[in-house]
Amino acid sequence: MADQAQPILTRIQQKNRDLILEGALTVFSESGFRGATVDQIARAAGLSKPNVLYYFGSKDDIHKTLLTTLLDMWLAPMVRIDPAGEPLDEVLGYVRAKLEMSRRFPRESRLFAYEILQGAPHLTEILGGSLRGIVDTAAATLQGWMDQGRLTPMDPRHLIFSIWALTQHYADFDVQIRAVLGPGHDAFDEAERFLENLYRKLLEA
Amino acid sequence: MADQAQPILTRIQQKNRDLILEGALTVFSESGFRGATVDQIARAAGLSKPNVLYYFGSKDDIHKTLLTTLLDMWLAPMVRIDPAGEPLDEVLGYVRAKLEMSRRFPRESRLFAYEILQGAPHLTEILGGSLRGIVDTAAATLQGWMDQGRLTPMDPRHLIFSIWALTQHYADFDVQIRAVLGPGHDAFDEAERFLENLYRKLLEA
DNA sequence: CCTGATCCTGACCGTTTGGTCAACAACCGA
DNA sequence: TCGGTTGTTGACCAAACGGTCAGGATCAGG
């Protein structure tokens, strides 16, 4: 998890690697790993295909770099749950933060969704390792609050799953939601109110 | 939506088409459309590649057939919500039915998840058409119950979204859930209790 | 048992794809 | 300005892919 000692990158390396990762994020999140082609990534990045492969050895390399780079950011809100805070505020804050991530970073959400759907070939060790640790910590915090009677008792891990499911759904299934709601709806605005209400009801001791 | 007048199929056609669709469901649900190959489907079905393409003109054809065939089954539980029933029972019944579908038909769930993630290229007209109609009907039923004070008022469409998200999550993100929970957990059993509790709390007027 | 329709497959084809490479261009410190 | 490092690309390759086809095997009705 700790950043390796990065080799110093030249200005050009920095810029082009960023362009590639940015383009690849768009392409991978639209088509999945197999559906994306190096050519598409190159076009999205504004570079030639060989040039893309000059900076990253392979398509797989780009994908793996994206996943591991973005995982920390993706999990950050859960780590910020504060055991010293007010239980309801902390959980509602987490829900809000997670929904905000779905709103602002739908590509990242879809990237992870594809990876998990596929069986998480690039994330297996992380899933059972640091992710599990982070969830365990958060679950312990929640369980503590429940034991103190400050939160309605329930399975804390499934509470976390529910937050993931409900917030990421709005990014990952965006097409479906827009089709069902029709025009003139801001699904995320509505979701924010709906989820705030849901978790308030669910959690108030 | 109504079944076309099917040409009569021979015994062999019936059997082999079923074998192909069954194998394709497995392969597509594991790898997505682009990730799946006709060869894999053929192997999963126990047939040769040309033979698969003898029964279905193209890979696309198999995929489209699967999606449209399974969509009715997938949406069936929502259609069964009975406006004359007891509101809480009806919703909890729907939740239970939907979770049971995730448990018993995870491949179908993933098939649809891939399709929606991809932007639903094969389902766009259905999404904005019959699906929307079905959701509108169910939403109207829910809204009616809320207006009568028999259900806590909330946005009925987002209530439906929440049920989709929470139940399908256990099929689609199964790998992640198993990694986080570790061995010795039946995620679906736990989810059944958790969701029953969640929706009971949320909906009791 | 015959015969036409159905079923099946090895060999093949054109395209797409990830990746390589030699050669050239741009950069940059000395 | 020079020289080596870094950056860039057109042309190319082998493998994988979706799909075709001619011809042979099998089936089912008469």
Side-chain angles (χ1 to χ4, degrees):
Chain A
M1 202 54 107
D3 290 0
Q4 309 264 50
Q6 303 260 355
I8 297 114
L9 299 179
T10 68
R11 185 176 43 87
I12 297 177
Q13 280 167 346
Q14 188 60 253
K15 189 192 66 176
N16 283 350
R17 287 181 63 99
D18 286 353
L19 282 175
I20 292 167
L21 290 175
E22 167 66 23
L25 176 56
T26 297
V27 176
F28 281 137
S29 70
E30 283 171 356
S31 314
F33 179 76
R34 286 289 306 263
T37 72
V38 180
D39 250 323
Q40 288 176 319
I41 295 172
R43 222 173 302 133
L47 300 173
S48 69
K49 185 172 77 161
N51 206 12
V52 166
L53 291 168
Y54 171 75
Y55 288 102
F56 292 88
S58 67
K59 178 183 168 186
D60 221 88
D61 194 3
I62 305 175
H63 192 242
K64 200 179 287 189
T65 303
L66 262 184
L67 279 175
T68 53
T69 301
L70 295 174
L71 191 63
D72 284 348
M73 158 185 146
W74 200 244
L75 296 178
M78 185 161 41
V79 180
R80 278 201 294 271
I81 294 176
D82 179 9
E86 191 57 35
L88 189 61
D89 292 343
E90 290 296 323
V91 177
L92 288 179
Y94 176 50
V95 172
R96 222 173 290 123
K98 202 76 180 54
L99 185 64
E100 196 57 22
M101 302 209 51
S102 280
R103 190 207 301 254
R104 284 174 45 185
F105 307 110
R107 294 178 305 171
E108 284 80 350
S109 186
R110 290 204 188 91
L111 182 79
F112 286 118
Y114 270 119
E115 178 67 8
I116 305 289
L117 264 179
Q118 192 118 15
H122 287 155
L123 291 178
T124 27
E125 60 299 4
I126 295 179
L127 284 188
S130 60
L131 172 62
R132 189 173 169 187
I134 292 174
V135 173
D136 282 349
T137 303
T141 300
L142 292 168
Q143 187 65 60
W145 286 334
M146 292 171 190
D147 292 344
Q148 297 168 21
R150 301 169 73 192
L151 222 49
T152 312
M154 67 190 67
D155 187 316
R157 277 176 192 79
H158 287 267
L159 173 58
I160 291 169
F161 295 156
S162 78
I163 296 172
W164 291 351
L166 287 171
T167 56
Q168 293 174 8
H169 187 78
Y170 285 93
D172 302 342
F173 288 70
D174 162 78
V175 186
Q176 191 182 37
I177 286 172
R178 276 219 302 275
V180 168
L181 288 182
H185 285 262
D186 184 327
F188 281 100
D189 270 2
E190 297 175 9
E192 197 174 338
R193 281 190 291 276
F194 180 84
L195 293 183
E196 160 119 16
N197 185 51
L198 185 153
Y199 280 107
R200 214 174 264 284
K201 265 229 168 63
L202 179 65
L203 293 171
E204 55 193 13
Chain B
M1 201 56 108
D3 289 0
Q4 310 264 49
Q6 303 260 354
I8 297 115
L9 298 179
T10 69
R11 185 177 43 87
I12 298 179
Q13 280 167 346
Q14 189 58 254
K15 189 191 68 178
N16 283 352
R17 286 181 64 99
D18 286 354
L19 282 174
I20 292 166
L21 290 176
E22 167 66 23
L25 176 57
T26 297
V27 175
F28 282 136
S29 71
E30 282 171 358
S31 313
F33 180 77
R34 286 289 307 263
T37 72
V38 179
D39 250 322
Q40 289 177 320
I41 295 172
R43 222 172 303 132
L47 301 173
S48 69
K49 184 171 78 160
N51 206 12
V52 166
L53 291 167
Y54 170 75
Y55 287 102
F56 291 87
S58 68
K59 179 183 169 186
D60 220 88
D61 195 4
I62 304 174
H63 192 241
K64 201 178 287 191
T65 302
L66 263 185
L67 279 176
T68 53
T69 301
L70 295 173
L71 191 62
D72 284 349
M73 158 185 148
W74 201 242
L75 296 179
M78 186 161 40
V79 180
R80 279 200 294 270
I81 295 177
D82 179 9
E86 191 57 35
L88 189 61
D89 291 344
E90 289 296 321
V91 178
L92 287 180
Y94 176 51
V95 172
R96 221 173 291 123
K98 203 77 180 54
L99 185 65
E100 196 58 22
M101 301 208 49
S102 280
R103 191 209 299 257
R104 284 173 46 184
F105 307 110
R107 294 178 305 170
E108 284 80 350
S109 187
R110 291 203 186 90
L111 182 78
F112 286 118
Y114 269 119
E115 178 67 7
I116 305 289
L117 265 179
Q118 193 118 15
H122 286 155
L123 292 179
T124 26
E125 57 303 0
I126 296 179
L127 284 189
S130 60
L131 173 63
R132 191 172 168 188
I134 292 173
V135 173
D136 282 348
T137 303
T141 301
L142 293 169
Q143 188 64 60
W145 287 333
M146 292 171 191
D147 292 343
Q148 297 169 19
R150 303 169 72 191
L151 222 50
T152 313
M154 66 191 67
D155 187 317
R157 278 176 191 80
H158 286 267
L159 174 57
I160 291 169
F161 294 157
S162 79
I163 296 172
W164 290 351
L166 286 171
T167 55
Q168 293 175 9
H169 187 78
Y170 284 94
D172 302 342
F173 288 71
D174 161 79
V175 187
Q176 190 183 39
I177 285 171
R178 276 219 302 275
V180 167
L181 288 181
H185 285 262
D186 184 327
F188 281 100
D189 271 2
E190 298 174 10
E192 196 173 338
R193 281 189 290 276
F194 180 84
L195 293 184
E196 160 119 15
N197 185 52
L198 186 152
Y199 281 106
R200 217 174 262 284
K201 267 230 167 62
L202 179 65
L203 293 172
E204 55 194 14

